[in-house]
Amino acid sequence: DVLDPERLIQCPYNKHHRIRAARFPYHVVKCKKSYPEVAKELATCPFNARHLVPRADLTDHIMKCSDKGILEEDIGKRTTSTSREQLNAGSTWEAPPCEEDWE
């Protein structure tokens, strides 16, 4: 199960490390410091910071990332609802009274 916090995930910095999903973000930060040469070769997915892929494969990963659809769907819902709200609400802004006399 993808949402199970107890499932084991392989560390992108050291293939021998297997970390519980709940601890993965903390482990990655620690391992990144321990393996700076490997860290230089990896890129972070813009849709899910837990996805660390080789820089050469980032474009391919972005096209196929399973989290891309979820994010695009969420953005689409927000954009649509915000646009409707703006159309329905109209502008209620009024300029403040001006007390200056330039003449």
Side-chain angles (χ1 to χ4, degrees), residues 10 12-13 17 21 27-28 39 44 50 55 62 65 68 76 84 89 91-93 95 98 100:
Q10 185 176 7
Y13 297 105
H17 293 173
H27 177 85
V28 168
T44 304
R50 292 179 179 209
R55 289 194 184 280
I62 289 171
C65 182
K68 177 182 177 180
R84 285 186 196 138
S91 178
T92 58
W93 184 82
C98 182
E100 293 183 16

Side-chain angles (χ1 to χ4, degrees), residues 20-52:
R20 287 184 304 117
R23 297 289 308 156
F24 186 76
Y26 306 102
H27 177 85
V28 168
V29 169
K30 180 182 167 192
C31 253
K32 184 176 182 178
K33 292 176 185 175
S34 299
Y35 299 95
E37 291 303 314
V38 177
K40 289 178 188 176
E41 297 173 12
L42 296 177
T44 304
C45 170
F47 303 113
N48 186 335
R50 292 179 179 209
H51 297 169
L52 297 165

